[in-house]
Amino acid sequence: MTEPEQDPSGTATLPLFPLQTVLLPGTHLPLHIFEPRYRQLVSDLVGGGVPGREFGVIALRAPLVREVTGLDHVYGVGCATVLREAKRLPDGRYDVVSTASRRFRLREIDSTSAPYLMGVVDWLPDEVVPAAANDTAARLGEVARAAHERYCEAAWHAEDWHPPAEDADLAELAYQLAADCLLPVEDRQLLLEEAHPLRRLRIVCRLLTREAGFLSTLSAVPLPPTELADFTKPANLN
């Protein structure tokens, strides 16, 4: 499979998949595709009609939105994702898995030129962390990992979570720490929109520390990630 060209900047046109969640770079997205328009999208992705099998995921601003027709219905920053697996079911539905790749800012929405939404996007590269900040980055990483451990110990059984690899890339560490944590859409969007890796680590540390405190105080344990699959299914949007 040909990977999409990873230009750090520039403009592109992507198929869009609006969801009631925020996709973070480097994470995997399983979806059950049942709407005809998105069945067509998967068919186009598999058949080579979409370059690099890449499409964009953008979060809805309100769960009651049924028809996305303008920029005001979705958040302005989304994440592109590359189709990895697609299993066609006997009735025409699909089970698919994609891997999130790069962030974008949505400039325009086109709801007429294809059966599914299309968007004109600007790619959003990360800010560069200078070498002089390496020590700060290492300390922030340790603090953020500790916050993640406290959250997961309060939220999950031991077998339901695992820490990111020790050699995890600095630019993706905050995303990996947030991936198995049940953060509100607004918090995940805040992480997605932040372009500086060190500021992202500070944000995720603050968010996970807050959530761990809530869990400890309320003794409330959410569903394990393996039981949340149904919540990734797209709403009947367009």
Side-chain angles (χ1 to χ4, degrees):
M1 181 180 66
T2 302
E3 294 287 349
E5 186 177 350
Q6 296 291 313
D7 290 334
S9 60
T11 300
T13 300
L14 284 178
L16 292 180
F17 206 128
L19 291 175
Q20 294 177 6
T21 189
V22 176
L23 184 61
L24 299 175
T27 60
H28 300 298
L29 178 66
L31 288 170
H32 178 68
I33 308 297
F34 54 89
E35 269 197 271
R37 75 190 67 193
Y38 295 115
R39 294 186 197 182
Q40 183 62 53
L41 171 57
V42 175
S43 177
D44 291 347
L45 291 165
V46 171
V50 177
R53 289 188 166 191
E54 189 173 34
F55 62 100
V57 171
I58 197 83
L60 294 165
R61 285 191 176 274
L64 297 181
V65 172
R66 309 305 297 178
E67 288 282 341
V68 175
T69 58
L71 295 175
D72 57 325
H73 289 155
V74 294
Y75 284 95
V77 175
C79 186
T81 187
V82 178
L83 183 69
R84 298 298 182 187
E85 302 175 18
K87 178 182 178 181
R88 192 176 189 276
L89 303 177
D91 62 0
R93 293 173 298 147
Y94 285 92
D95 287 330
V96 305
V97 178
S98 67
T99 302
S101 54
R102 45 184 174 167
R103 304 179 310 125
F104 62 78
R105 184 175 302 281
L106 183 60
R107 290 176 52 187
E108 299 176 21
I109 286 179
D110 176 2
S111 60
T112 61
S113 64
Y116 38 80
L117 289 177
M118 299 291 293
V120 177
V121 306
D122 293 327
W123 299 119
L124 294 179
D126 273 353
E127 296 179 28
V128 176
V129 178
N134 285 347
D135 288 344
T136 299
R139 290 195 297 271
L140 271 176
E142 291 175 1
V143 172
R145 284 176 181 273
H148 175 258
E149 182 175 351
R150 288 192 297 272
Y151 173 93
C152 290
E153 287 179 345
W156 313 127
H157 298 298
E159 65 273 14
D160 288 329
W161 70 278
H162 57 84
E166 289 298 323
D167 61 350
D169 186 86
L170 175 66
E172 294 190 357
L173 181 55
Y175 300 138
Q176 293 180 19
L177 293 172
D180 56 3
C181 300
L182 298 182
L183 297 174
V185 167
E186 293 80 5
D187 290 342
R188 292 174 67 87
Q189 188 68 31
L190 179 64
L191 279 174
L192 181 65
E193 293 184 9
E194 177 54 62
H196 197 292
L198 299 190
R199 287 198 291 267
R200 277 203 300 266
L201 283 174
R202 292 190 181 98
I203 291 170
V204 79
C205 182
R206 172 172 55 83
L207 295 176
L208 296 185
T209 298
R210 181 200 69 196
E211 295 296 310
F214 289 159
L215 290 170
S216 297
T217 300
L218 300 174
S219 298
V221 180
L223 289 172
T226 53
E227 296 183 22
L228 293 171
D230 286 345
F231 293 97
T232 66
K233 294 180 181 178
N236 189 10
L237 295 171
N238 296 297

